[in-house]
């Protein structure tokens, strides 16, 4: 039962107040058809809006099923409109971009009913009003009467207790009006129908009761309720309260709001696309920058990895302070830069500073302690390195297996000697390192592989055969075009080094050197190659007097030793992988680290080493005890006696040398003095440890150098920190020596990543301005959409939409625009990256540099959505605050 007690409604109108209702008191039965008659402006529609909860009364009370509405909050009114009231308007108030059935489903959508239930109940309501065949049409495809029946179907779909009809036949012809009235009459059989009309004839014909209003006052009631006989009992009031509580108010879901907003946006496809595209411009700019930046970072990372393969962190037995040396060489030391105020030209100690800085900065690394520390995996260093390589002073003597034409040494390479270069070994190393592309392999073509076999897959493609599996297996390394330099061929003995002798002299004399014909080899030719590995100690033979002599100049002896030496065979041919930019470009022989370990063990187990270790106080080369007195004074008689005691070949060579000095005019005293000086210099190195070094003895726990290959720059920084911690611990304990190491690549490239990041951040900061502008534009578009859909807001509020539901609809609209903008921006960027990559490849030779990172793409879409939602906050709140009555009057 619906009861109005002294309802008044006042509207402010400028400085005056309009009294629309002046104390209306009336009670309506649960089942009756009531017509409210009166002239225009008398307050009929206002009364209907108050009964429907669209408008709030100023004074009085509206009692619904025995409960006063004075304590109603917004959500209570929303629930009341959604579940208890159904509105039928004169102008139909259908949402034009929704289908007929979607309009009818709207009230159920707002109540949170499941999709299947919504569809079933909507179809039933449309069948009830005779529109089962028109449910999928748009409202503008229907006649006026059909649209009014759709409005009735929407009003009854939630099975409300009250139907409120405001001039339902006002825009219809007579025949259609009758149809509508018949439907309302039928509905009044089981619920309350209140109709406002100007047509007394229809009211008299169809209504059970007529209430007349004039100037805001109730003037007559044809069938008023008798309070004494017709009133709700306490049991009925309690039953209604329980029923109201069960109705609840679940509200519109986010998905429903998105679907509703999407349908609206699709009615304005052109504007929606332009808005989304404009919003995507900032996303495109940032995505392009990130794709280039990420590509550059990946390129740098790949370069770092390959660079780390060429320039690892190196720890030598003796480390020099190269930074101080360079400072002194450039004349930048403190003394060299001191201002001269004497008025005279002073000398500047450049050489002295340079030598002093090197001497002061030279330190001995405790290689045994460092290796033990690294073997303990400090700070999980194994996870930050590609490999840790240990090298030893044991010479790797490799010879050509075929000695039919004499012994040919393959490693260390003798090509430069054959060419006639007299430069020092260090100079040769620098020049040949430059020739080899900076691979660090010096002028030897035999290069160790890293012990981490995963790097083999990363750095090498097997052309033929396989990678080494044992210590005596090696592979030939060719360039990407399966070519190998003639230098390497000479070094390996495949070409005759005799061709090179005198070549440099001929060039310096101005003679033209004829180019040799290009040679080629099949894979099988190279795979059939074998070499001999000869320990340095095998070059020494025991003499009859118990001493040991160096037999490396005895061709026959050396040939026999090479023939008897262990064999190393070529088992594969490899080329650098696409991503390997650090390898030699002139060919090499790659061997596993186990080869050097085998050499170290072979030397340690040799008889000559055992002889020296058994006599630690005696020089096995001379048979004399080691002495601190290194001065030697020889006479010609002593020299003649030495020659007589030497093996035939060596004695003859030394005698020929003495005769040559005599021929050059040197006296016997001068010759003896020269020999004495030479013997003194030899004695200076004649120590137990010195002899073991000569024999090539090494300790696997005491490497000559350690090369640490970090995975990338971040890993290198982690390793730097580990070494700093190690040195700090040494300083704290006061025991041991600090680690001194060389980090060439860190000096060259440490700031490259920071520069790229800085440029990226600056560019993003500039482009971000467009994102802000796009957000403001989306906010403006949403505001325009609110203005365009004001009447829709009123319709939604009339069928039970809460302020939150309305706000959610427009928030969903901004979400869709933001999402589409973000996705569109990423898609456009991906397409733009195609020509960008083509240009970069043409200009810089780097393929596929630009690519939008997946994480960045997702992040940019999220940023676009967030910014759009922020931009839509104000318009959405404005929409939610609109007065439903005012909104319904908007055209």
């Amino acid at each position: 039962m619906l009861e109005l007690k002294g309802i008044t409604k006042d509207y402010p109108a400028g400085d005056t107040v309009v009294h629309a209702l002046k104390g209306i008191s009336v009670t309506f039965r649960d089942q009756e058809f009531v017509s409210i008659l009166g002239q225009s402006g008398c307050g009929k529609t206002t009364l209907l809006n108050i009964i429907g909860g669209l408008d709030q009364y100023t004074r009085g009370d509206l009692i619904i099923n025995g409960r006063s509405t004075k304590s109603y909050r917004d959500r209570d009114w929303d629930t009341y409109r959604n579940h208890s009231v159904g509105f039928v308007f004169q102008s139909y108030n259908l949402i034009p971009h929704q289908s007929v059935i979607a309009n009818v489903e709207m009230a159920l959508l707002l109540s949170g009913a499941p999709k299947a239930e919504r569809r079933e109940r909507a179809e039933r309501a449309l069948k009830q009003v005779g529109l089962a065949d028109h449910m999928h049409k748009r409202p503008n495809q229907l006649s006026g009467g059909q649209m009014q029946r759709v409005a009735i179907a929407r009003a009854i779909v939630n099975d409300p207790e009250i139907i409120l009809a405001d001039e339902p036949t006002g825009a219809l012809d007579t025949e259609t009006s009758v149809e509508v009235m018949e439907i309302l009459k039928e509905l009044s059989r089981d619920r309350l129908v209140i109709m406002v009309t100007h047509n007394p004839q229809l009211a008299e014909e169809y209504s059970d009761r007529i209430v007349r209003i004039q100037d805001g006052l109730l003037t007559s009631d044809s069938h008023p309720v008798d309070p004494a006989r017709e009133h709700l009992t306490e049991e009925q009031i309690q039953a209604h309260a329980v029923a109201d509580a069960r109705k609840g108010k679940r509200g519109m879901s986010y998905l429903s709001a998105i679907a509703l907003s999407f349908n609206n946006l699709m009615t304005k496809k052109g504007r929606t696309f332009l808005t989304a595209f404009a919003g995507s411009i900032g996303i495109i700019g940032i995505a392009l920058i990130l794709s280039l930046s990420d590509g550059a970072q990946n390129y740098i990372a790949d370069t770092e990895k390959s660079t780390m393969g060429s320039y690892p962190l190196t720890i030598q037995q003796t480390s020099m302070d190269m930074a101080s040396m360079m400072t002194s060489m450039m004349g930048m030391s403190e003394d060299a830069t001191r201002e001269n105020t004497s008025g005279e030209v002073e000398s500047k100690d450049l050489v002295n500073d340079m030598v002093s800085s090197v001497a002061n900065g030279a330190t001995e690394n405790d290689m045994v302690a460092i290796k033990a520390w690294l073997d303990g995996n400090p700070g999980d260093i194994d996870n930050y390195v590609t490999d840790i390589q240990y090298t030893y002073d044991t010479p790797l003597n490799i010879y050509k297996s075929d000695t039919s034409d004499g012994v040919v040494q393959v490693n260390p390479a003798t090509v430069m000697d054959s060419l006639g270069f007299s430069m020092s070994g260090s100079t040769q190393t620098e020049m040949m390192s430059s020739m080899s592309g900076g691979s660090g392999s010096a002028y030897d073509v035999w290069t160790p592989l890293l012990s981490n076999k995963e790097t083999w897959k990363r750095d090498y493609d097997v052309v033929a055969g396989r990678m080494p599996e044992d210590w005596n297996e090696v592979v030939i390394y060719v360039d990407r075009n399966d070519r190998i330099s003639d230098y390497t061929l000479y070094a390996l003995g495949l070409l005759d080094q005799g061709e090179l002798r005198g070549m440099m002299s001929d060039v310096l004399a101005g003679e033209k050197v004829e180019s040799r014909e290009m040679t080629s080899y099949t894979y099988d030719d190279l795979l059939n190659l074998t070499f001999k590995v000869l320990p340095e100690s095998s070059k020494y033979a025991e003499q009859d007097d118990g001493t040991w002599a160096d037999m490396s100049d005895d061709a026959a002896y050396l040939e026999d030793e090479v023939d008897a030496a262990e064999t190393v065979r070529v088992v594969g041919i490899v080329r650098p992988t696409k991503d390997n930019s650090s390898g030699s470009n002139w060919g090499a022989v790659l061997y596993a680290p186990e080869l050097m370990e085998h050499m170290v063990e072979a030397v340690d187990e040799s008889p000559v080493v055992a002889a020296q270790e058994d006599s630690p106080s005696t020089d096995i080369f001379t048979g004399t005890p080691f002495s601190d007195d290194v001065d030697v004074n020889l006479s010609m008689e002593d020299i003649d006696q030495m020659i007589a005691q030497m093996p035939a070949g060596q004695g003859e060579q030394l005698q020929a040398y003495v005769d040559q000095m005599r021929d050059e005019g040197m006296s016997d005293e001068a010759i003896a003095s020269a020999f004495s000086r030479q013997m003194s210099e030899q004695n200076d190195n004649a120590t137990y440890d010195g002899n073991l070094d000569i024999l090539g003895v090494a300790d696997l726990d005491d490497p000559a150098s350690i090369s640490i290959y970090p995975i990338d720059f971040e890993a290198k920084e982690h390793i730097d920190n580990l070494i700093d911690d190690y040195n700090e611990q040494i300083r704290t304990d006061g025991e041991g020596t600090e680690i001194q190491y060389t980090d060439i690549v860190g000096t060259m490239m440490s700031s490259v990543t920071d520069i790229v990041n800085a440029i990226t951040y600056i560019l993003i900061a500039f482009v971000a301005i467009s994102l802000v502008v796009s957000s403001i534009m989306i906010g403006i578009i949403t505001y325009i959409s609110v203005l365009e859909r004001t009447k829709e807001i009123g319709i939604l509020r009339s069928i039970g939409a809460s302020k939150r539901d309305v706000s959610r609809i427009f928030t969903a609209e901004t979400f869709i625009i933001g999402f589409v903008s973000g996705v569109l921006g990423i898609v456009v960027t991906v397409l733009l990256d195609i020509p960008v990559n083509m240009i970069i490849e043409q200009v810089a030779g780097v393929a596929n540099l630009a690519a939008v990172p997946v994480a960045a793409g997702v992040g940019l879409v999220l940023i676009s959505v967030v910014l759009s939602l922020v931009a839509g906050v104000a318009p959405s709140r404005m929409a939610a605050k609109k007065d439903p009555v005012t909104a319904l009057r908007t055209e």
Side-chain angles (χ1 to χ4, degrees), residues 131-190:
L131 292 177
D133 298 332
H134 302 279
M135 61 179 63
H136 298 295
K137 292 181 179 180
R138 298 283 180 180
N140 59 7
Q141 296 175 298
L142 304 179
S143 65
Q146 288 172 327
M147 285 192 285
Q148 191 62 285
R149 280 188 280 169
V150 172
I152 294 173
R154 181 181 63 191
I156 66 175
V157 71
N158 247 348
D159 194 23
E161 300 167 358
I162 305 169
I163 299 294
L164 302 177
D166 187 5
E167 298 284 357
T169 61
L172 305 177
D173 57 50
T174 303
E175 182 178 353
T176 306
S177 297
V178 170
E179 293 176 356
V180 171
M181 293 303 295
E182 288 290 346
I183 295 173
L184 294 175
K185 182 65 177 178
E186 181 67 25
L187 292 173
S188 67
R189 295 182 185 278
D190 58 357

Side-chain angles (χ1 to χ4, degrees), residues 524-540:
D524 290 337
D525 291 338
L526 298 178
L527 290 174
N528 287 329
L529 290 177
T530 59
F531 303 95
K532 294 290 186 174
V533 54
L534 186 68
E536 184 69 15
S537 56
S538 296
K539 296 180 181 180
Y540 293 84

Side-chain angles (χ1 to χ4, degrees), residues 98 122 139 330 451 455 477 485 616 624 640 683 747 788 869:
Q98 298 284 349
M330 293 185 292
S451 60
T455 62
Y477 184 45
S485 72
T624 61
D640 292 338
N683 285 345
T747 304
E788 291 176 341
L869 290 174

Side-chain angles (χ1 to χ4, degrees), residues 622-639:
T622 63
T624 61
F626 294 114
S627 174
D628 295 334
D629 184 9
V630 298
D631 292 333
V632 176
N633 294 308
L634 296 175
S635 64
M636 282 305 300
E637 289 77 9
D638 296 329
I639 294 174

Side-chain angles (χ1 to χ4, degrees), residues 821-839:
S821 296
V823 172
L824 184 62
I826 299 302
V827 171
V828 171
T829 303
V830 170
L831 296 177
L832 288 176
D833 278 341
I834 297 174
V836 168
N837 280 325
M838 294 174 63
I839 294 171

